[in-house]
Every structure is written in structure tokens, then in C-alpha cells.
Amino acid sequence: MPDFTAFRHPVLAVPCPVCRAPVGIWCGNSIGLPSAELHAARSIEAERAFIDQHGPDAAIIRVATGWQIDRRGLIRD
Ligand SMILES: [Zn+2]
């Protein structure tokens, strides 16, 4: 099960379907250098997995120590 709080960006919890970067590794371009942005398809996949795991009302928030799941974040805000 992906851990969305384990990495410097929540999207890194899933592998990238575009550049094949594994879990925890930033997306790369065609010559293997890190991309400025994570691939959009990876963000969509991460969002889908996040909702599967935490439900449609959850959000992930940046806190001083990293990332934290807020189960009702989308309802309250
Ligand atoms: Zn990628």
C-alpha cells in the first residue's frame, strides 16, 4: 500500500507510468536527468491510489515534519 507521507512529495508514493521512475524516485527526462516537474499521469495515479486508501474526503497537508493525512480535509475546507 503506498505511503503518501514517506517522501518529499506525496506523488512519489507511486511509480511513474510515463518514465518508469520507481517509488520514492523523482521523475526523469529521456536522458535520465531529473525533471523539473513530476509527470501528470503519475499525479493522477497517485490521486487515484490516495482516494482508494483514504477515501474521497481525505486530503494531504504539509506540516513541519513532512506530510500528514487529514481524513476530512476536503469536507472542512
Ligand atoms: Zn515520470
Side-chain angles (χ1 to χ4, degrees):
M1 199 177 267
D3 181 354
F4 293 95
T5 63
F7 306 104
R8 66 186 168 118
H9 194 290
V11 168
L12 297 180
V14 298
C16 183
V18 179
C19 68
R20 305 286 169 198
V23 168
I25 304 298
W26 200 265
C27 283
N29 63 18
S30 58
I31 58 169
L33 294 171
S35 300
E37 305 283 338
L38 295 163
H39 286 116
R42 189 180 195 178
S43 299
I44 292 166
E45 175 59 20
E47 185 172 333
R48 190 197 59 73
F50 183 85
I51 291 170
D52 271 3
Q53 194 174 324
H54 297 288
D57 300 327
I60 190 159
I61 54 171
R62 194 89 168 97
V63 294
T65 51
W67 296 93
Q68 186 174 302
I69 307 294
D70 181 348
R71 296 202 169 281
R72 295 178 56 81
L74 297 186
I75 291 175
R76 191 182 52 241
D77 295 337

